[in-house]
Amino acid sequence: MQCYNCNKEVKSFHDICPYCGECYFVSVCVQCGHTLDNGKDTCEHCRAGVDSIQIMSIEVADMLKGALQGNPTEQIRLSKCYENGIGVEQDDEAACKWCRMAAEQGDSYAQLILGCRYLKGKGVCQSDEKAVEWYRKSAEQGERVAQHNLGVCYHDGKGAEKSCETAVEWYQKAAEQGFAEAQSTLGIKYYTGEGVCQSFEKAVEWFRKGAEQDDPESQILLGLCYAKGTGVSQSREQALYWLRKADEAGDSRAQEFLEKFGGND
């Protein structure tokens, strides 16, 4: 596990992190949150056995107490610690367990993360249908990333009947909330006319919104629209400006287009 304070890898049990001397580790019963004396293999409080005893930092132990009391914020924080092995041994199943508890209480972020876990089969049996179910719960509460992901599921026909029109509806919701990836995707749909009436002008509008948020994909697409004069007045200057922005962000495709349009001169 990693030390909660300094993120150094702690390979064996220590009462205190040997690197920073700040993070204290304790033996805790995950069933009731009770702290045990080191070496104990049975919880004196709830009588849980050795399988329920874990070593964790005192910070994570405090999260566990809040999570056991039903606090969704602490459940999500604890899930992240298990997912990344911060202050406790890495455990995808435990991460999923605590994420689900928060999701079932209606937390939109936890619902989004649980949907992602089902899509990837991380800590849970893979299920596109379950992923869509949780994405929908989150998306209907206005979680913009979930709205975008649900749109992708409809576009690909994963866990839901394929529908480009429904996909665009969800992309639109996410894009209107300022999610750059959704703005780029929605721009592409307007450009190609997939699931929506084709409009190069609308495509440029959404590419610009994403580009102004420093999304490299949007910057490249906007640059290409300027280069070709598609949906906007042709402008080599503007084309190179946006392609260079994408290049500065590290997108390798931008360099290829800059070479093509002589932007490296």
Side-chain angles (χ1 to χ4, degrees):
M1 77 184 88
Q2 292 181 7
C3 170
Y4 188 84
N5 182 64
C6 69
N7 293 330
K8 294 281 189 179
E9 188 71 23
V10 181
K11 295 183 179 180
S12 59
F13 174 71
H14 294 270
D15 289 327
I16 187 170
C17 175
Y19 301 102
C20 68
E22 296 292 334
C23 186
Y24 292 84
F25 293 90
V26 291
S27 184
V28 178
C29 172
V30 296
Q31 299 298 323
C32 67
H34 189 70
T35 301
L36 285 69
D37 293 332
N38 292 335
K40 295 280 187 178
D41 59 5
T42 301
C43 177
E44 298 175 350
H45 187 262
C46 71
R47 311 309 300 173
V50 64
D51 290 342
S52 296
I53 311 303
Q54 293 184 7
I55 304 298
M56 60 184 65
S57 71
I58 55 174
E59 293 86 354
V60 176
D62 286 341
M63 290 180 208
L64 174 63
K65 291 176 182 177
L68 287 168
Q69 291 171 5
N71 185 321
T73 300
E74 294 298 88
Q75 290 168 344
I76 294 170
R77 292 181 66 206
L78 183 59
S79 174
K80 286 292 184 182
C81 286
Y82 273 113
E83 178 182 2
N84 298 303
I86 304 296
V88 67
E89 287 292 339
Q90 199 279 337
D91 187 335
D92 279 326
E93 290 187 4
C96 193
K97 166 190 170 182
W98 289 108
C99 181
R100 183 187 303 279
M101 287 188 177
E104 289 176 345
Q105 291 192 71
D107 187 281
S108 62
Y109 178 72
Q111 292 168 342
L112 163 64
I113 298 303
L114 190 56
C116 292
R117 285 187 163 275
Y118 270 112
L119 195 68
K120 298 174 182 177
K122 191 175 181 182
V124 67
C125 291
Q126 198 279 336
S127 171
D128 292 338
E129 291 73 20
K130 283 287 186 180
V132 167
E133 176 185 334
W134 287 107
Y135 281 154
R136 189 183 309 281
K137 289 178 186 292
S138 179
E140 289 175 348
Q141 292 196 71
E143 188 71 47
R144 61 185 192 173
V145 179
Q147 291 170 340
H148 174 265
N149 291 1
L150 185 56
V152 172
C153 288
Y154 272 109
H155 177 271
D156 296 341
K158 295 183 69 173
E161 185 175 350
K162 183 177 177 67
S163 171
C164 293
E165 291 76 16
T166 304
V168 167
E169 290 176 10
W170 286 110
Y171 292 146
Q172 181 96 29
K173 290 178 185 294
E176 288 175 349
Q177 291 200 75
F179 187 44
E181 187 174 349
Q183 292 169 338
S184 173
T185 304
L186 186 58
I188 292 171
K189 298 309 173 190
Y190 272 111
Y191 193 95
T192 61
E194 184 181 17
V196 68
C197 292
Q198 187 182 51
S199 170
F200 294 138
E201 291 75 17
K202 282 283 188 181
V204 168
E205 176 186 333
W206 287 109
F207 290 154
R208 189 181 307 281
K209 289 179 184 294
E212 289 174 348
Q213 292 197 74
D214 297 324
D215 177 56
E217 175 83 7
S218 298
Q219 291 169 339
I220 289 174
L221 294 170
L222 181 58
L224 293 177
C225 285
Y226 270 113
K228 300 174 182 178
T230 305
V232 67
S233 298
Q234 189 174 34
S235 169
R236 181 175 183 274
E237 180 182 358
Q238 282 293 304
L240 296 181
Y241 171 81
W242 288 110
L243 290 171
R244 284 173 180 146
K245 293 277 284 185
D247 183 48
E248 290 168 3
D251 194 304
S252 60
R253 297 169 300 169
Q255 184 60 227
E256 297 175 12
F257 289 120
L258 282 170
E259 292 176 0
K260 178 179 179 180
F261 297 124
N264 288 325
D265 298 339

